[in-house]
Amino acid sequence: MKASMLMEEAVSLPVEERAYLVDCLLQSLNPPDATHVDAWTAVARRRLDEIRAGKVTPIAGETVFARIQQRFEIDFRLSPRGRGRIRGSSCIL
């Protein structure tokens, strides 16, 4: 199967299945190292504890995406095919 055909199939999947597929593909390119997984798990747990204890204030997802869009000039508006596009990139999100 050609990559373009595979992409057509993949983008038609529900978002959860696409996220799982992306994660699997990325792990196939760069398998996780147990040391790094443990380190990231510790960071995630610490951050969750900080939020629960009121030491930090979470930032709303909309705010985060707005900042990303401004910083990297990502166009989150939907293209005719229903996906966003990074300006200057041939990859369709």
Side-chain angles (χ1 to χ4, degrees), residues 10-22:
V11 297
S12 69
L13 294 171
V15 70
E16 295 85 8
E17 290 182 34
R18 283 184 283 161
Y20 176 73
L21 180 61
V22 167

Side-chain angles (χ1 to χ4, degrees), residues 18-29:
R18 283 184 283 161
Y20 176 73
L21 180 61
V22 167
D23 185 50
C24 290
L25 288 170
L26 288 173
Q27 286 187 36
S28 75
L29 293 173

